Amino acid sequence: MVLYKLEDFEPSYQESFDGHDIKGLGVYTQGSDEKVGTVSDVLVDEEGHFRYLVVDLGFWIFGKKVLLPIGRARVDYDSDRVYTIGLTREQAEDLPEFNERQTLDYDYEERVRGVYRQPTDYNLPVEAATPLDPLAGLDPLGAPVAPLGTTPTYARDSYTYDNEPALYGLNEQDHQTLKLYEERVIASKRRQKTGEVTIGKRVETDTARIAVPVERERVVIERVTPADAGTAVSGREADFREGEVARIEIHEETPEIRKEAFLREEVRVRKVVDQDTVETQETVRREELDVNSANLPIEER
């Protein structure tokens, strides 16, 4: 259950209250008329329903802010006061301190509700129960509650503020201005993963053909008839012998192939955010006054 500050939920909220501002009103205990503190803010749920008053307990506990369920508050604009029902100083000391930077989750609210569910000096049956409980009584708002001494149990996933009207109910007499409110559509965005792109590398092979000119040596033996063929020579010139008379080395070139790596191209990977506008619709409810005057003159302000 997400809660919002009243001003964040509706910046022009004062127009709904005929210019009145609940913030800044003094908070007093009902009966003893002792000042408890001052309303510093209001928390509403996603539908604009009032759930808590943020009370600065400067007169009781300096520097501490706590949450007061709206069902435990009575707004009196004529005297510019908010009266609390069944809030004692001991309970105020037991309440967890409200911190704007702290997340208001179910566990935190249960700590708050746990303090208000305790029996008070006013002997109010503030514990919640189902209407079918034969032992249940009625709270000042006429809502069924469990008898004193019982401890309600709720499931985290199924809990709603309607479970405890003693804490969050608004009666017509004391909360007419607060009840005349309306729902509005809150447009929010939720970032979700739609997929992913994986970029990798693979090695492909190919056959590279290259022509390399090479040289090969070969021996060519030519037989020629000299010009003085048939002329007698002396015995000294005639050298008759066997065996090797000459040696010639034969060479040839062979291609040598080697590979070297080089940078072919760079690949840059980045994300681009495309802006788009998505239209959606939702049904909202609004409360309007239905005045039956029986033809009597009525002045609305």
Side-chain angles (χ1 to χ4, degrees):
M1 290 173 284
V2 181
L3 296 176
Y4 302 89
K5 289 185 177 180
L6 179 58
E7 188 171 5
D8 295 337
F9 183 87
E10 180 53 70
S12 58
Y13 69 93
Q14 294 185 25
E15 297 177 1
S16 301
F17 306 127
D18 299 328
H20 294 291
D21 194 348
I22 191 173
K23 294 194 293 185
L25 297 184
V27 181
Y28 295 80
T29 59
Q30 183 166 307
S32 64
D33 224 24
E34 178 184 7
K35 188 165 185 178
V36 175
T38 306
V39 177
S40 63
D41 219 320
V42 182
L43 301 182
V44 299
D45 62 14
E46 294 176 327
E47 296 181 348
H49 297 147
F50 285 74
R51 297 308 180 189
Y52 295 102
L53 301 182
V54 181
V55 180
D56 186 346
L57 299 176
F59 287 85
W60 267 3
I61 307 172
F62 179 75
K64 183 177 182 180
K65 293 182 179 180
V66 297
L67 296 184
L68 175 65
I70 195 64
R72 290 302 187 85
R74 302 293 180 264
V75 182
D76 186 351
Y77 280 112
D78 293 334
S79 61
D80 289 334
R81 288 186 175 188
V82 175
Y83 291 97
T84 67
I85 300 298
L87 178 64
T88 65
R89 184 183 181 90
E90 291 74 18
Q91 283 183 318
E93 293 174 348
D94 293 338
L95 284 170
E97 184 173 1
F98 172 75
N99 189 331
E100 295 182 357
R101 295 184 295 271
Q102 181 179 354
T103 302
L104 297 182
D105 54 12
Y106 175 83
D107 294 330
Y108 177 87
E109 288 192 75
E110 271 297 292
R111 292 172 56 196
V112 174
R113 288 189 284 261
V115 174
Y116 286 105
R117 289 170 185 153
Q118 299 173 6
T120 67
D121 292 342
Y122 294 92
N123 196 28
L124 290 176
V126 299
E127 293 80 2
T130 64
L132 299 180
D133 188 347
L135 299 180
L138 296 177
D139 71 356
L141 303 179
V145 293
L148 291 174
T150 62
T151 302
T153 57
Y154 301 101
R156 175 189 298 267
D157 297 333
S158 61
Y159 181 86
T160 65
Y161 294 112
D162 294 336
N163 292 141
E164 299 186 87
L167 296 182
Y168 303 105
L170 299 179
N171 62 24
E172 296 292 341
Q173 180 179 356
D174 296 321
H175 301 106
Q176 291 183 15
T177 306
L178 302 186
K179 288 182 67 66
L180 188 58
Y181 214 65
E182 66 179 42
E183 296 175 331
R184 71 166 188 173
V185 177
I186 299 177
S188 61
K189 297 185 292 184
R190 177 170 57 90
R191 188 180 182 90
Q192 63 181 6
K193 180 179 178 181
T194 58
E196 62 182 7
V197 177
T198 303
I199 300 175
K201 297 192 301 182
R202 71 176 187 276
V203 178
E204 295 184 352
T205 59
D206 197 3
T207 300
R209 301 182 182 276
I210 183 172
V212 181
V214 295
E215 294 182 352
R216 294 188 181 89
E217 297 179 342
R218 59 190 175 89
V219 176
V220 179
I221 299 176
E222 295 186 39
R223 296 182 179 220
V224 297
T225 301
D228 56 352
T231 303
V233 297
S234 64
R236 255 183 298 176
E237 292 182 45
D239 185 11
F240 294 93
R241 60 179 179 175
E242 296 181 352
E244 181 181 303
V245 295
R247 178 184 295 269
I248 299 177
E249 294 183 349
I250 305 299
H251 299 86
E252 71 174 21
E253 296 176 335
T254 58
E256 292 184 356
I257 305 299
R258 63 186 181 88
K259 297 182 291 184
E260 63 178 5
F262 64 94
L263 181 63
R264 180 164 62 94
E265 65 178 349
E266 290 183 349
V267 178
R268 294 186 176 94
V269 180
R270 60 191 179 93
K271 295 193 299 183
V272 178
V273 178
D274 295 327
Q275 300 290 339
D276 196 4
T277 301
V278 179
E279 292 187 359
T280 183
Q281 63 182 19
E282 183 57 78
T283 302
V284 297
R285 297 174 296 175
R286 182 177 59 196
E287 295 180 343
E288 296 287 351
L289 289 179
D290 188 5
V291 180
N292 185 1
S293 62
N295 298 323
L296 295 177
I298 297 237
E299 179 182 356
E300 292 189 11
R301 297 182 179 180

